[in-house]
Amino acid sequence: MITKLIDQIGVEHTFETSPMRIISLVPSQTELLFDLGQEHKIVGITKFCVHPNHFKTTKIIIGGTKKVNFEKIKSLKPDLIIANKEENTKEIVEQLSNICPVWVTDIISIEDNFTMISDFGKLLNCRTEAKKWNDKLTFALNDFKKLMNDKPIKKVAYFIWKNPFMVAGSNTFIDELLKLNHFQNCYGNKGRYPEIDINKIQLEANPEIVFLSSEPYPFKEEDAFEIGRYTHHAKTIFVDGEMFSWHGSRLLKAFEYFKIMQNSI
């Protein structure tokens, strides 16, 4: 039976059978595939696909998210490659499309996340598992929203990189989760990941809280001290970047993480 499905960047894919040999170029989606019971279908992952932990010894590493080994990918004879608009470049996706279909996700909102999980259910013939995960996430989301009902809005700056200093801006999944936590993103009126001058952070942003993420740049105490020289009375908090930037099934753990974080602020 031929199935036609459209991915999140609007590309239509045709499948005669459900894919059985998958390469994932997206760490959070590798974790989601595992949680959907698809471990046996995964033949290749990136070096950044760290969850679940045992994959680093049981799956073939095909490179990173921005630079992949095309020959190694070809040799694995995949019938589906899963990519993401933000994580992987357009050039990589176009080149890999010559090997097999490349399904591209695009996650900005929580609704996009639900759509991705449903899509995987149809694509990989695991609709029941996909529905279970979306049901769990819906319950956890509503539960967290109740907790946040009476929480005040606080101004935050969420740092993701150093040299140059960069922050999460508008139209990002991080920004979506900040809003959910009643945080007003000081750079929410900028581009997606704007470069900033920390000398001007007090004048331009004046955050109450500064978040230093664990990824993609692993901020340290000395970075907090350096940034703190320019933020005056802002509270600096180190946060788990996976909880704010990974989509898929990771969101379930993120809600629990956010509850603990909210109680400590």
Side-chain angles (χ1 to χ4, degrees):
M1 179 180 170
I2 295 175
T3 304
K4 289 188 177 183
L5 296 168
I6 298 172
D7 69 17
Q8 287 180 298
I9 61 166
V11 176
E12 184 178 83
H13 300 274
T14 303
F15 300 95
E16 291 187 12
T17 57
S18 180
M20 294 300 293
R21 294 183 62 79
I22 303 168
I23 289 175
S24 173
L25 305 182
V26 191
S28 59
Q29 289 165 203
T30 299
E31 180 180 52
L32 172 60
L33 291 171
F34 173 75
D35 286 334
L36 289 174
Q38 303 301 298
E39 177 176 2
H40 61 292
K41 296 180 184 177
I42 301 169
V43 294
I45 59 173
T46 76
K47 62 184 177 181
F48 301 114
C49 295
V50 294
H51 300 296
N53 186 54
H54 67 274
F55 271 20
K56 64 186 177 186
T57 55
T58 60
K59 304 299 177 184
I60 303 295
I61 307 295
I62 52 76
T65 52
K66 302 285 190 284
K67 190 176 181 183
V68 301
N69 186 321
F70 291 98
E71 288 308 311
K72 190 177 278 189
I73 289 174
K74 204 170 181 179
S75 71
L76 289 171
K77 296 183 170 56
D79 48 21
L80 178 69
I81 296 169
I82 292 177
N84 176 262
K85 185 179 177 181
E86 180 173 296
E87 293 266 6
N88 315 114
T89 66
K90 187 180 179 183
E91 291 72 28
I92 284 177
V93 169
E94 287 174 351
Q95 234 178 310
L96 289 174
S97 296
N98 295 319
I99 298 173
C100 73
V102 181
W103 184 273
V104 183
T105 64
D106 186 18
I107 316 292
I108 305 292
S109 67
I110 290 176
E111 194 53 47
D112 293 335
N113 198 63
F114 286 129
T115 299
M116 173 184 67
I117 294 172
S118 294
D119 285 346
F120 281 13
K122 298 170 198 167
L123 184 63
L124 304 172
N125 199 22
C126 57
R127 287 176 177 81
T128 302
E129 284 305 311
K131 186 179 184 306
K132 281 180 186 174
W133 268 101
N134 273 344
D135 287 347
K136 282 191 281 189
L137 288 171
T138 298
F139 179 84
L141 173 62
N142 291 334
D143 182 56
F144 185 69
K145 282 181 175 177
K146 285 176 193 170
L147 173 76
M148 294 305 300
N149 271 340
D150 58 349
K151 298 281 187 182
I153 305 289
K154 295 184 178 180
K155 289 179 69 179
V156 305
Y158 187 104
F159 280 76
I160 62 162
W161 199 257
K162 182 183 178 181
N163 297 327
F165 281 108
M166 294 172 71
V167 294
S170 62
N171 207 31
T172 61
F173 193 59
I174 293 172
D175 189 50
E176 172 93 346
L177 296 187
L178 288 175
K179 288 174 185 171
L180 188 67
N181 277 277
H182 285 202
F183 296 132
Q184 179 190 339
N185 187 348
C186 294
Y187 295 98
N189 60 342
K190 303 284 187 182
R192 301 191 74 225
Y193 298 106
E195 184 180 322
I196 67 161
D197 180 353
I198 59 167
N199 291 282
K200 298 177 181 176
I201 189 170
Q202 196 64 30
L203 181 67
E204 294 180 345
N206 191 26
E208 295 172 68
I209 301 171
V210 170
F211 286 141
L212 300 183
S213 182
S214 61
E215 64 167 51
Y217 182 88
F219 284 95
K220 304 288 191 299
E221 288 290 346
E222 55 265 32
D223 303 314
F225 179 75
E226 181 182 356
I227 294 168
R229 288 166 54 204
Y230 302 95
T231 54
H232 302 306
H233 303 297
K235 185 176 183 179
T236 301
I237 301 173
F238 290 93
V239 294
D240 186 338
E242 290 179 3
M243 298 302 178
F244 276 96
S245 62
W246 281 38
H247 31 75
S249 48
R250 171 63 46 158
L251 203 52
L252 192 64
K253 291 177 181 174
F255 289 131
E256 290 305 313
Y257 176 84
F258 295 153
K259 283 181 184 178
I260 295 167
M261 182 187 69
Q262 286 290 340
N263 288 330
S264 67
I265 290 176

